[in-house]
Amino acid sequence: MFKPTLPLSGGLLWKIPWRLSRMQKARQRKRLKAVDKVVDTVSAALKNNGGLTAKAVERWYQEMPREEEMLPKDKYTIFDRKERKYRKGIHSE
């Protein structure tokens, strides 16, 4: 009889590489630049409509670095309190 294995307990877990490929990194940088572009577009649209500003947009500019200002550690890893050094690759689930 066929007995399926759980993916995280030995099935596909070993197939996830421990580092990102060049193309995965390029796609991540592209996503981060797209976020920056959206925030810039919203800010420009608000300024064109009578010089308005949004508190959330201003807070974003103060707190969040742009893609080119980010360290590689911040671009390609996320915080995870269960990990040993509290960082986990963005590609691992």
Side-chain angles (χ1 to χ4, degrees):
M1 215 45 178
F2 175 72
K3 187 174 182 181
T5 60
L6 294 174
L8 292 178
S9 67
L12 298 175
L13 182 63
W14 62 273
K15 292 184 180 179
I16 299 173
W18 66 278
R19 71 170 73 177
L20 293 170
S21 69
R22 268 189 356 214
M23 295 310 296
Q24 286 174 314
K25 288 182 180 181
R27 285 192 295 271
Q28 176 64 10
R29 286 191 304 270
K30 187 177 177 182
R31 284 191 290 268
L32 291 170
K33 288 178 185 176
V35 169
D36 291 340
K37 188 175 179 181
V38 167
V39 174
D40 291 341
T41 303
V42 169
S43 177
L46 287 172
K47 286 180 183 175
N48 287 341
N49 289 340
L52 301 172
T53 59
K55 193 174 186 180
V57 174
E58 296 303 320
R59 183 174 174 200
W60 180 272
Y61 279 133
Q62 291 173 356
E63 295 178 4
M64 299 298 291
R66 297 184 67 80
E67 184 270 332
E68 54 270 359
E69 298 168 351
M70 293 176 78
L71 297 173
K73 178 183 86 168
D74 295 330
K75 286 184 193 180
Y76 309 123
T77 61
I78 57 174
F79 175 79
D80 185 12
R81 64 184 175 149
K82 296 175 287 192
E83 291 292 318
R84 181 191 286 168
K85 293 187 177 181
Y86 302 108
R87 286 288 181 160
K88 177 171 91 168
I90 57 170
H91 64 295
S92 60
E93 304 254 341

